[in-house]
Amino acid sequence: MNLFDHYQRAMLSLPVKERYSKEELLTSTFLMEKSGHLEMFYSPHNEAVNENGRIMIIGITPGWVQMELAFRTARRLLEEQKDTAEILIEAKKAAQFSGSMRTHLIEMLDELGLPSFFNFTDAAALFEEERQLLHTVSLIKYPVFANGKNYTGHQPPIQKSPFLMNYARKTLETDILPLERPLVIPLGKAVEDILRVFIGAGKVEESQCLLGFPHPSGANGHRHLAGG
């Protein structure tokens, strides 16, 4: 049984609505694990793996915005009695780097010249007609909150938390290693630091990793690439 099947009944107990509150989703029902001030909750949008992806973009962990959107999409499709595979794919499509983060990410990839390297028009196409080229995942697949706020890769650093490193290693096994040597783009230093751990262990080749790529958060004033 996958995690979606495990949480499906609980999701069906939610009303179909335009937006969920934290009080509806950040509950003991969807709490997967807790370690100190860190809490991990289930969300359905990082379970679909595109093993044919040639470009892999790795975030830290889904935030509340992505979690809520994934739940909303999955709940609507459950109501429509869609099958699990379709629900997981559609939840991922809806939530992956949603909002301003996706806009910033597209701008950065265009600035880098990625589309011309892979022979497509612009980076926005990765989320539309060229989606088959892309696999996205969070290093920590499921949303983590620190004292109720989005975990940002610090306090504690991932490497200093056995709890978080355990999940990072699971993502290595389920999402990184199954792909055939994709271009790996870690978003920000927190993800890059763990990727370097995997490189040092001989799990990932440094030559396939775009190290030094900034995080596309709107709060990141240094996200423009050198020479851009």
Side-chain angles (χ1 to χ4, degrees), residues 117-161:
F117 187 81
F118 282 92
N119 197 30
F120 55 91
T121 54
D122 56 56
L126 281 175
F127 297 92
E128 299 297 340
E129 65 269 20
E130 300 292 348
R131 182 176 293 277
Q132 77 281 355
L133 293 174
L134 179 66
H135 178 54
T136 63
V137 71
S138 295
L139 191 64
I140 315 300
K141 272 192 172 190
Y142 302 100
V144 174
F145 297 88
N147 294 321
K149 297 181 179 179
N150 289 347
Y151 171 71
T152 61
H154 313 286
Q155 297 180 343
I158 296 171
Q159 278 180 269
K160 296 195 174 175
S161 169

XYZ file of all heavy atoms in Angstrom, residues 117-161:
367
model
N 19.638 24.562 -24.768
C 20.465 23.374 -24.579
C 19.656 22.106 -24.817
O 20.157 21.115 -25.365
C 21.058 23.373 -23.169
C 22.047 22.273 -22.926
C 23.367 22.381 -23.352
C 21.665 21.106 -22.275
C 24.280 21.350 -23.141
C 22.565 20.071 -22.052
C 23.879 20.200 -22.488
N 18.381 22.129 -24.388
C 17.517 20.950 -24.548
C 16.574 21.088 -25.746
O 15.681 20.263 -25.925
C 16.716 20.711 -23.261
C 17.542 20.059 -22.178
C 18.208 20.849 -21.245
C 17.666 18.682 -22.089
C 18.972 20.268 -20.232
C 18.424 18.091 -21.090
C 19.080 18.883 -20.166
N 16.752 22.155 -26.512
C 16.023 22.321 -27.766
C 14.512 22.461 -27.575
O 13.717 21.775 -28.212
C 16.320 21.162 -28.728
C 15.930 21.497 -30.161
O 15.970 22.660 -30.565
N 15.548 20.480 -30.923
N 14.121 23.370 -26.677
C 12.717 23.772 -26.625
C 12.652 25.286 -26.443
O 13.672 25.941 -26.242
C 11.924 23.016 -25.551
C 12.483 23.095 -24.150
C 12.087 24.088 -23.270
C 13.392 22.141 -23.697
C 12.583 24.157 -21.987
C 13.892 22.187 -22.403
C 13.490 23.209 -21.541
N 11.462 25.846 -26.544
C 11.314 27.298 -26.720
C 11.689 28.111 -25.485
O 12.513 29.023 -25.555
C 9.875 27.626 -27.123
O 8.978 27.056 -26.153
C 9.561 27.083 -28.498
N 11.064 27.838 -24.363
C 11.349 28.583 -23.146
C 11.062 27.688 -21.951
O 10.430 26.637 -22.067
C 10.532 29.878 -23.068
C 9.041 29.628 -23.186
O 8.493 28.844 -22.383
O 8.412 30.214 -24.082
N 11.540 28.113 -20.783
C 11.460 27.249 -19.606
C 10.030 27.004 -19.144
O 9.747 25.995 -18.500
C 12.283 27.856 -18.471
N 9.115 27.892 -19.480
C 7.709 27.680 -19.119
C 7.179 26.387 -19.737
O 6.281 25.739 -19.188
C 6.866 28.870 -19.562
N 7.756 25.997 -20.878
C 7.316 24.778 -21.557
C 7.549 23.535 -20.710
O 6.857 22.513 -20.877
C 8.041 24.639 -22.893
N 8.513 23.598 -19.787
C 8.770 22.439 -18.922
C 7.563 22.087 -18.065
O 7.411 20.950 -17.618
C 9.972 22.716 -18.007
C 11.351 22.560 -18.624
C 12.416 22.984 -17.620
C 11.584 21.116 -19.074
N 6.720 23.071 -17.804
C 5.539 22.839 -16.984
C 4.289 22.649 -17.842
O 3.187 22.520 -17.316
C 5.343 24.007 -16.016
C 6.481 24.147 -15.035
C 7.561 24.960 -15.319
C 6.480 23.419 -13.853
C 8.624 25.074 -14.428
C 7.533 23.526 -12.958
C 8.605 24.357 -13.243
N 4.484 22.623 -19.155
C 3.359 22.456 -20.073
C 3.689 21.372 -21.105
O 3.768 20.201 -20.784
C 3.023 23.799 -20.757
C 2.617 24.912 -19.793
C 1.341 24.620 -19.023
O 0.555 23.751 -19.488
O 1.127 25.261 -17.973
N 3.965 21.790 -22.371
C 4.089 20.826 -23.459
C 5.365 19.996 -23.416
O 5.428 18.930 -24.030
C 3.964 21.531 -24.825
C 5.070 22.529 -25.144
C 4.763 23.940 -24.691
O 3.890 24.115 -23.810
O 5.394 24.873 -25.223
N 6.393 20.459 -22.685
C 7.632 19.683 -22.579
C 7.765 19.012 -21.202
O 8.861 18.679 -20.770
C 8.855 20.584 -22.835
C 8.876 21.237 -24.196
C 9.083 20.249 -25.331
O 9.443 19.079 -25.062
O 8.868 20.642 -26.494
N 6.642 18.806 -20.564
C 6.640 18.255 -19.206
C 7.322 16.891 -19.110
O 7.854 16.523 -18.064
C 5.186 18.142 -18.713
C 5.039 17.621 -17.304
C 3.584 17.630 -16.879
N 3.083 18.983 -16.765
C 3.254 19.751 -15.688
N 3.925 19.277 -14.656
N 2.763 20.955 -15.645
N 7.349 16.142 -20.204
C 7.957 14.809 -20.166
C 9.456 14.875 -19.887
O 10.069 13.882 -19.478
C 7.688 14.058 -21.483
C 8.546 14.479 -22.659
C 8.090 15.766 -23.334
O 7.052 16.326 -22.971
N 8.831 16.225 -24.334
N 10.065 16.043 -20.098
C 11.498 16.199 -19.836
C 11.799 16.427 -18.355
O 12.940 16.278 -17.924
C 12.048 17.396 -20.626
C 12.079 17.299 -22.142
C 12.517 18.634 -22.739
C 13.017 16.188 -22.594
N 10.784 16.793 -17.594
C 11.004 17.300 -16.241
C 10.571 16.329 -15.157
O 9.496 15.734 -15.221
C 10.227 18.613 -16.072
C 10.314 19.293 -14.700
C 11.725 19.784 -14.426
C 9.322 20.466 -14.641
N 11.442 16.183 -14.171
C 11.027 15.543 -12.918
C 11.363 16.494 -11.785
O 12.481 16.976 -11.675
C 11.734 14.206 -12.688
C 11.356 13.571 -11.374
N 10.038 13.341 -11.023
C 12.100 13.164 -10.313
C 10.005 12.795 -9.822
N 11.231 12.687 -9.368
N 10.369 16.800 -10.981
C 10.594 17.649 -9.815
C 10.328 16.844 -8.556
O 9.488 15.942 -8.540
C 9.680 18.883 -9.826
O 8.305 18.460 -9.741
C 9.887 19.708 -11.081
N 11.048 17.189 -7.514
C 10.837 16.526 -6.229
C 11.407 17.438 -5.153
O 12.218 18.339 -5.444
C 11.522 15.133 -6.192
C 13.043 15.256 -6.128
C 10.984 14.290 -5.041
N 10.977 17.239 -3.945
C 11.596 17.901 -2.806
C 12.530 16.902 -2.142
O 12.229 15.705 -2.085
C 10.537 18.357 -1.804
O 9.709 19.349 -2.365
N 13.657 17.398 -1.661
C 14.603 16.525 -0.975
C 13.910 15.819 0.192
O 14.070 14.614 0.389
C 15.788 17.354 -0.474
C 16.997 16.593 0.049
C 17.636 15.769 -1.066
C 18.011 17.559 0.632
N 13.139 16.571 0.943
C 12.257 16.001 1.964
C 10.879 16.009 1.326
O 10.237 17.049 1.230
C 12.264 16.837 3.260
C 13.698 17.219 3.662
C 11.554 16.092 4.378
C 14.624 16.061 3.931
N 10.397 14.874 0.884
C 9.232 14.796 0.005
C 7.958 15.382 0.595
O 7.108 15.887 -0.129
C 8.957 13.334 -0.364
C 9.686 12.840 -1.570
C 9.087 11.502 -1.978
C 9.636 11.044 -3.296
N 8.909 9.878 -3.826
N 7.815 15.249 1.897
C 6.559 15.639 2.528
C 6.749 16.922 3.328
O 7.834 17.176 3.858
C 6.039 14.487 3.387
C 5.846 13.245 2.560
C 6.802 12.221 2.557
C 4.758 13.122 1.711
C 6.659 11.108 1.745
C 4.604 12.008 0.896
C 5.557 11.000 0.914
O 5.408 9.910 0.100
N 5.714 17.759 3.404
C 5.857 19.070 4.038
C 6.335 18.981 5.486
O 5.784 18.236 6.287
C 4.442 19.649 3.971
C 3.780 18.915 2.854
C 4.365 17.540 2.866
N 7.348 19.760 5.781
C 7.889 19.842 7.141
C 7.684 21.265 7.656
O 7.974 22.235 6.947
C 9.390 19.476 7.174
C 9.972 19.704 8.569
C 9.593 18.025 6.756
N 7.186 21.347 8.868
C 6.969 22.646 9.497
C 7.774 22.707 10.785
O 7.821 21.735 11.550
C 5.480 22.853 9.782
C 4.644 22.884 8.533
C 4.130 21.702 7.995
C 4.384 24.081 7.873
C 3.379 21.710 6.836
C 3.642 24.095 6.701
C 3.140 22.926 6.177
N 8.420 23.842 10.996
C 9.209 24.077 12.206
C 8.456 25.080 13.065
O 8.290 26.236 12.662
C 10.590 24.616 11.844
N 7.978 24.606 14.194
C 7.145 25.462 15.058
C 5.980 26.068 14.287
O 5.633 27.245 14.455
C 7.990 26.566 15.701
C 9.024 26.010 16.671
O 8.751 25.056 17.406
N 10.221 26.574 16.664
N 5.397 25.262 13.392
C 4.222 25.688 12.651
C 4.497 26.478 11.390
O 3.569 26.808 10.647
N 5.779 26.791 11.097
C 6.123 27.550 9.902
C 6.884 26.671 8.916
O 7.512 25.695 9.310
C 6.971 28.766 10.284
C 6.251 29.758 11.190
C 7.136 30.948 11.518
C 6.397 31.944 12.411
N 7.262 33.108 12.754
N 6.850 27.031 7.636
C 7.563 26.265 6.614
C 9.023 26.069 7.015
O 9.707 27.036 7.355
C 7.533 26.998 5.264
C 6.162 26.999 4.623
O 5.258 26.270 5.015
N 6.006 27.851 3.620
N 9.489 24.838 6.959
C 10.908 24.556 7.213
C 11.712 25.025 6.008
O 11.373 24.728 4.867
C 11.107 23.055 7.451
C 12.554 22.629 7.518
C 13.349 22.977 8.600
C 13.126 21.884 6.481
C 14.683 22.594 8.666
C 14.451 21.488 6.537
C 15.226 21.854 7.638
O 16.543 21.476 7.692
N 12.801 25.757 6.260
C 13.562 26.380 5.175
C 14.937 25.769 4.950
O 15.731 26.309 4.181
C 13.729 27.889 5.447
O 14.455 28.059 6.679
C 12.388 28.589 5.543
N 15.219 24.647 5.606
C 16.525 24.016 5.418
C 17.509 24.366 6.516
O 18.656 23.925 6.493
N 17.076 25.161 7.475
C 17.921 25.571 8.591
C 17.168 25.278 9.898
O 15.999 24.934 9.894
C 18.249 27.058 8.497
C 18.696 27.475 7.123
N 19.949 27.163 6.615
C 18.053 28.149 6.137
C 20.057 27.631 5.385
N 18.923 28.229 5.071
N 17.864 25.398 10.989
C 17.253 25.242 12.328
C 16.411 23.970 12.445
O 15.194 24.058 12.619
C 16.423 26.482 12.666
C 17.262 27.753 12.757
C 16.442 28.973 13.102
O 15.225 28.991 12.986
N 17.107 30.020 13.536
N 16.969 22.803 12.368
C 18.399 22.546 12.167
C 18.723 22.348 10.685
O 17.821 22.098 9.880
C 18.586 21.228 12.920
C 17.290 20.498 12.661
C 16.229 21.567 12.679
N 20.022 22.441 10.320
C 20.407 22.037 8.966
C 20.049 20.567 8.755
O 20.052 19.775 9.707
C 21.929 22.240 8.958
C 22.199 23.204 10.064
C 21.161 22.927 11.108
N 19.728 20.222 7.530
C 19.291 18.852 7.236
C 20.319 17.826 7.711
O 19.967 16.812 8.322
C 19.014 18.690 5.724
C 17.849 19.589 5.305
C 18.694 17.234 5.377
C 17.635 19.672 3.808
N 21.604 18.103 7.463
C 22.652 17.150 7.817
C 22.718 16.867 9.319
O 23.167 15.802 9.733
C 24.017 17.672 7.359
C 24.316 17.418 5.900
C 25.675 17.965 5.526
O 25.783 19.101 5.098
N 26.701 17.157 5.671
N 22.276 17.816 10.126
C 22.360 17.658 11.569
C 21.095 17.063 12.172
O 20.980 16.948 13.385
C 22.681 19.001 12.220
C 24.047 19.527 11.798
C 24.541 20.635 12.676
C 25.972 21.016 12.289
N 26.464 22.176 13.050
N 20.167 16.662 11.316
C 18.930 16.036 11.772
C 18.828 14.623 11.202
O 18.532 14.450 10.024
C 17.714 16.862 11.314
O 16.512 16.141 11.519
